[in-house]
Amino acid sequence: MEGLFEVPGAGAPAPGSGVPSAGSLGANTHASAPLAVRMRPRTIDELVGQQQLRAAGSPLRRLIEGDQSMSLLLWGPPGTGKTTIAAIVSQQTRRRFVEVSAVAAGVKEVRAAIDGARAELARGGQETVLFVDEVHRFTKAQQDALLPGVENRWVTLIAATTENPFFSVISPLLSRSLLLRLQSLTDDDVAEVIDQALGDERGLAGRTALDDDARAHLVRLAGGDARRALTYLEAAAGAAASNGLDVIDLATAETAVDQAAVRYDRQGDQHYDVISAFIKSIRGSDPDAALHYLARMIEAGEDPRFIARRLVVHASEDIGLADPTALQAAVAAAQAVQLIGMPEARINLAQATIHLAIAPKSNAVISAIDAALSDVRSGKIGQVPPHLRDAHYGGAKGLGHGKGYAYPHDEPFGVAEQQYLPDVLADASYYAPTSLGAEAAVRERWERIRRIVRGTG
């Protein structure tokens, strides 16, 4: 049946299923299977990364070791182990493994999978793990069809999604499942996956070595995705074998995955040099240069959250009120990075980069706050003028607090002439708007307001 795959939890794949069984994810996987399939962890302890899920007493470990019937919703980026976790649960609890394709299956297939699991239980057979990958692609009706199986525990549902389930999964299903958040693998995690594959009998079995530059290149390209790292490693190993090499060097790795290495050390000079050039290109209003440095950071695997944070800072530091929408654009890009992740968020980062690069520039905001901070740090503080002090508590008026305060809304233009700064700073001027972009109108208005407030007009 299209969109529905069934494999016994501890046996061979169902005939014609086209997918590996839970058993075949381990040592019995045939040699021609992709490296990423052969190297799939067989137990929770073989899982790389996700320490919070593997810890003693964690819900996932209790589910596996206690053989409980509990539905899971796995939320995380690609290549972090969602499918692997489903297979581990099936194999270690000796349940049947049935996968429903969220791309190809409809309500009919979902109900057929649940009816099959129910019939198996009625015959006294195995319980069933029903794995639904990319559950966010299911319609509400398809997700509704999963509920009877979950509520009656006819299946142990394990649903996986790369999107925020609070937006993409119906509330009844969300409330009946344990939500587990998977984190992107670190570079060290990906390097561990690669090293295991190099030496493990299921992998390359020590037949091929990998030099340090090539390893660093593959780790960067993987972007926290273990499956991608193993796919690239397999391609590089094949290229090395074709050339009669027993060591994968950088040139071989570059050729095998058709992508040149980006020389970029996230902990070294390149990290600071490239981000500096990125910001200075935006400040210099050159979107082409800014996009070049953005692309270099993305290809090198730079943390997109770091890039987004720099855009948010730059929007106020170098643009400010010359284009008030710049900060909105930068914050929106930062939120998009958190919401959808890479690689899609590259588009949002690019849009914000272009917006900020072509925006009129003003450093009046940072100049203003830094000047104010300089005065405060030098001791120019002074007492808050009495008419501005809090007058809401008992006895405050007797101290003269609030006396003489002019309520701006009672004035003709909503602006009152009165002193706001302490005496020691009565003539201080911090904000000096430019005549660039939208700040030109702000400057004109501020000059009029300042004359009224300070009584100089």
Side-chain angles (χ1 to χ4, degrees):
M1 184 178 297
E2 184 180 3
L4 178 63
F5 302 116
E6 176 181 344
V7 288
S17 67
V19 293
S21 69
S24 71
L25 296 176
N28 296 327
T29 303
H30 57 87
S32 62
L35 181 61
V37 172
R38 303 201 307 271
M39 287 304 300
R40 269 213 175 115
R42 296 156 295 188
T43 68
I44 188 173
D45 291 318
E46 289 185 359
L47 194 66
V48 175
Q50 314 307 335
Q51 285 81 2
Q52 77 284 4
L53 301 184
R54 298 188 288 115
S58 67
L60 180 59
R61 191 172 284 277
R62 292 201 310 271
L63 170 63
I64 292 173
E65 296 178 351
D67 196 15
Q68 301 174 355
S69 181
M70 181 189 305
S71 291
L72 300 179
L73 187 56
L74 306 177
W75 172 27
T80 51
K82 297 185 291 296
T83 304
T84 296
I85 287 173
I88 289 173
V89 171
S90 170
Q91 184 173 10
Q92 291 203 252
T93 61
R94 301 191 66 79
R95 289 178 167 94
R96 295 165 63 244
F97 185 89
V98 177
E99 178 177 357
V100 174
S101 169
V103 176
V107 173
K108 180 180 178 181
E109 286 77 17
V110 171
R111 288 176 176 163
I114 293 174
D115 288 345
R118 185 180 182 185
E120 180 72 13
L121 286 175
R123 292 194 298 268
Q126 292 177 302
E127 295 182 25
T128 299
V129 167
L130 177 59
F131 178 61
V132 181
D133 198 10
E134 297 188 281
V135 68
H136 57 272
R137 294 180 179 270
F138 267 176
T139 64
K140 181 179 183 299
Q142 289 169 308
Q143 292 187 34
D144 281 335
L146 293 168
L147 291 176
V150 174
E151 289 175 338
N152 294 289
R153 293 193 172 177
W154 296 329
V155 297
T156 295
L157 174 68
I158 301 182
T161 179
T162 56
E163 296 190 5
N164 190 328
F166 293 100
F167 296 108
S168 58
V169 177
I170 60 173
S171 295
L173 188 57
L174 194 58
S175 65
R176 289 166 173 80
S177 305
L178 179 65
L179 177 61
L180 299 181
R181 180 77 185 268
L182 281 72
Q183 304 296 330
S184 292
L185 299 184
T186 65
D187 285 355
D188 288 341
D189 291 333
V190 174
E192 182 179 347
V193 168
I194 290 173
D195 290 341
Q196 286 179 355
L198 286 168
D200 197 290
E201 289 298 322
R202 295 174 296 155
L204 302 181
R207 294 184 299 272
T208 307
L210 182 68
D211 74 21
D212 291 341
D213 287 342
R215 176 186 282 102
H217 180 47
L218 295 180
V219 168
R220 282 196 298 267
L221 291 181
D225 186 325
R227 183 169 52 244
R228 187 186 303 165
L230 292 175
T231 300
Y232 290 161
L233 174 61
E234 186 172 27
S242 298
N243 294 328
L245 303 174
D246 55 9
V247 176
I248 304 170
D249 57 17
L250 180 59
T252 302
E254 289 178 318
T255 302
V257 297
D258 194 26
Q259 194 161 359
V262 178
R263 274 68 178 181
Y264 188 94
D265 178 5
R266 274 182 270 175
Q267 305 300 322
D269 291 343
Q270 282 288 324
H271 166 84
Y272 298 104
D273 289 346
V274 173
I275 194 64
S276 175
F278 175 62
I279 292 302
K280 288 174 180 174
S281 297
I282 296 176
R283 182 182 296 138
S285 301
D286 189 334
D288 295 324
L291 287 171
H292 165 75
Y293 293 115
L294 174 63
R296 281 174 64 166
M297 289 188 287
I298 291 173
E299 283 300 297
E302 180 63 82
D303 186 347
R305 296 171 298 178
F306 168 74
I307 302 172
R309 287 194 296 269
R310 295 308 306 163
L311 288 172
V312 172
V313 171
H314 174 75
S316 291
E317 179 180 357
D318 289 303
I319 298 171
L321 295 178
D323 180 358
T325 67
L327 181 59
Q328 298 171 11
V331 170
Q335 291 174 333
V337 167
Q338 294 285 357
L339 182 63
I340 65 173
M342 299 295 278
E344 290 86 354
R346 75 190 189 285
I347 308 168
N348 309 106
L349 290 172
Q351 178 177 333
T353 296
I354 295 170
H355 185 138
L356 271 58
I358 64 175
K361 304 301 188 292
S362 168
N363 68 346
V365 170
I366 188 174
S367 296
I369 185 59
D370 284 353
L373 285 169
S374 177
D375 277 351
V376 170
R377 289 166 181 164
S378 66
K380 294 181 181 179
I381 297 176
Q383 298 293 320
V384 174
H387 59 280
L388 298 184
R389 296 178 189 175
D390 182 17
H392 288 87
Y393 61 91
K397 291 186 179 179
L399 298 173
H401 292 188
K403 184 177 181 181
Y405 172 63
Y407 189 52
H409 295 292
D410 291 338
E411 302 301 318
F413 301 105
V415 180
E417 177 186 344
Q418 63 185 332
Q419 180 178 331
Y420 290 96
L421 283 164
D423 289 341
V424 69
L425 294 166
D427 296 326
S429 177
Y430 299 126
Y431 180 47
T434 70
S435 298
L436 302 172
E439 201 168 34
V442 173
R443 175 176 181 171
E444 183 181 346
R445 183 169 185 272
W446 169 226
E447 289 176 347
R448 293 199 308 269
I449 291 173
R450 180 185 173 87
R451 287 195 294 270
I452 296 174
V453 172
R454 302 290 173 92
T456 57

